[in-house]
């Protein structure tokens, strides 16, 4: 049994807790998922990349709702101010700014109809269930668990770098402009992850609290993994697109 599978019976030091969290990311973050590897290695066709961008939009669009629900539960004004930066990162300060707007530039560039993307009517059922499970988790679990679930941001910069460089190298239907969402995340994610990690290390003192923190990060990794499982099943192998989900026809404009 690996360390991350061993239940905590005695309190860990803050550094030991961090080491456990990082081990979870190394083993369970979606950088190891076959669909992610295919995406960055140029092994997907345009339809499969479009499906990824379309479904990922739903996750991106829910992040501000998740963060706003957490902010509403924070008693500390300083912590609220820190967390509020995440809302600005995704929603922007004005129309057309922020991460969600940049993601729509990606779906536009891939030839997807914007109204269809924003409506989220054609996403995979598993995408919807996974993202909404994450939203409910943050709303319903303890503040400590909710903050810990964001710690996948510790691992995202590596994936972002590999994803962007691989996609630019292998796909002639994307450009640095259409992938503009990712560049700000290379600095935003480490900033956010450091703040969340400091909070968790400070407030998770008892064994039960530390176990809850580890479980929260595992849950979030499962949310991300499930989304890629669904994409792989629907658009790669065996290729079973659920009824009502986007299948590549009628909603795609020629590039």
């Amino acid at each position: 049994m690996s360390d991350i599978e061993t239940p905590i019976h005695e309190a860990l030091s803050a550094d030991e807790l961090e080491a456990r969290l990082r081990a979870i990311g190394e083993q369970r973050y979606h950088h190891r998922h076959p669909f992610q590897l295919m995406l960055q290695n140029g092994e997907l066709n345009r339809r499969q990349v479009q499906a990824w961008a379309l479904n990922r939009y739903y996750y991106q669009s829910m992040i501000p709702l998740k963060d706003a629900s957490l902010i509403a539960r924070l008693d500390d004004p300083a912590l609220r101010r820190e967390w509020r930066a995440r809302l600005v990162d995704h929603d922007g300060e004005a129309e057309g700014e922020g991460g969600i707007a940049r993601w729509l530039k990606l779906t536009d560039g891939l030839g997807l109809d914007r109204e269809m993307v924003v409506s989220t009517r054609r996403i995979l059922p598993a995408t919807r269930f996974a993202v909404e499970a994450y939203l409910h988790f943050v709303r319903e679990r303890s503040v400590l668990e909710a903050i810990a679930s964001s710690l996948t941001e510790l691992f995202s910069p590596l994936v972002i770098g590999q994803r962007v460089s691989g996609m630019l190298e292998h796909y002639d239907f994307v450009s640095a402009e259409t992938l503009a969402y990712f560049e700000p995340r290379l600095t935003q994610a480490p900033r956010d992850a450091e703040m969340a990690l400091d909070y968790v290390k400070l407030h998770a003192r008892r064994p039960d609290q530390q176990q809850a923190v580890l479980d929260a990060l595992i849950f979030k990794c499962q949310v991300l993994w499930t989304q890629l499982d669904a994409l792989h099943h629907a658009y790669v192998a065996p290729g079973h697109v659920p009824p009502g989900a986007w299948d590549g026809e009628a909603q795609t404009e020629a590039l």
Side-chain angles (χ1 to χ4, degrees):
M1 181 180 292
S2 66
D3 284 346
I4 67 170
E5 306 295 341
T6 304
I8 298 176
H9 298 296
E10 296 184 4
L12 305 173
S13 70
D15 289 342
E16 288 171 333
L17 178 61
E18 179 177 349
R20 287 268 195 120
L21 290 165
R22 292 188 180 277
I24 289 171
E26 175 57 31
Q27 295 182 31
R28 297 189 178 226
Y29 191 56
H30 66 301
H31 66 306
R32 295 183 179 275
H33 196 284
F35 192 94
Q36 164 62 27
L37 297 175
M38 293 178 72
L39 178 66
Q40 69 192 39
N41 293 334
E43 298 170 5
L44 300 179
N45 58 40
R46 193 182 77 173
R47 172 177 172 268
Q48 292 164 335
V49 176
Q50 288 173 314
W52 164 74
L54 168 65
N55 280 270
R56 178 80 181 197
Y57 171 80
Y58 189 58
Y59 174 77
Q60 302 300 146
S61 70
M62 290 294 107
I63 290 176
L65 277 68
K66 178 267 297 186
D67 288 326
S69 69
L70 177 56
I71 289 171
R73 300 172 60 199
L74 299 177
D75 296 328
D76 182 357
L79 186 56
R80 288 200 300 269
R81 285 191 293 269
E82 280 191 281
W83 210 270
R84 191 171 62 201
R86 296 168 182 247
L87 292 180
V88 176
D89 290 343
H90 286 85
D91 282 341
E93 293 282 13
E95 186 72 23
E97 298 179 357
I100 295 175
R102 288 193 298 273
W103 196 269
L104 287 170
K105 290 182 180 179
L106 170 60
T107 57
D108 288 347
L110 289 171
L112 292 168
D113 177 74
R114 180 173 286 211
E115 189 280 329
M116 186 268 292
V117 173
V118 173
S119 76
T120 75
R121 290 191 302 267
R122 306 302 299 276
I123 65 173
L124 296 169
T127 299
R128 193 177 305 279
F129 285 127
V131 172
E132 292 182 4
Y134 181 39
L135 192 60
H136 287 302
F137 184 96
V138 172
R139 287 174 172 172
E140 297 167 5
R141 296 297 186 99
S142 68
V143 167
L144 180 61
E145 290 170 288
I147 290 177
S149 70
S150 75
L151 287 173
T152 48
E153 290 177 319
L154 286 168
F155 321 113
S156 63
L158 175 61
V159 173
I160 289 172
Q162 293 172 335
R163 180 183 294 153
V164 171
S165 62
M167 291 181 72
L168 289 176
E169 178 182 357
H170 296 295
Y171 302 122
D172 60 7
F173 49 83
V174 299
S175 65
E177 183 178 1
T178 56
L179 296 178
Y181 167 82
F182 295 105
E183 184 176 357
R185 296 303 300 159
L186 291 171
T187 54
Q188 293 168 355
R191 175 205 68 198
D192 294 342
E194 181 180 356
M195 186 267 283
L197 182 60
D198 288 345
Y199 182 93
V200 165
K201 290 168 68 175
L202 179 63
H203 291 88
R205 301 290 186 86
R206 301 192 313 264
D208 62 311
Q209 293 173 324
Q210 294 177 340
Q211 186 65 60
V213 162
L214 299 177
D215 290 343
L217 180 55
I218 289 173
F219 167 78
K220 177 62 180 305
C221 288
Q222 291 171 338
V223 166
L224 297 172
W225 195 275
T226 296
Q227 292 177 69
L228 295 184
D229 272 351
L231 285 164
H232 196 279
H233 187 272
Y235 299 103
V236 180
H240 292 164
V241 179
W246 181 83
D247 57 10
E249 93 292 349
Q251 293 81 33
T252 307
E253 298 173 354
L255 293 181

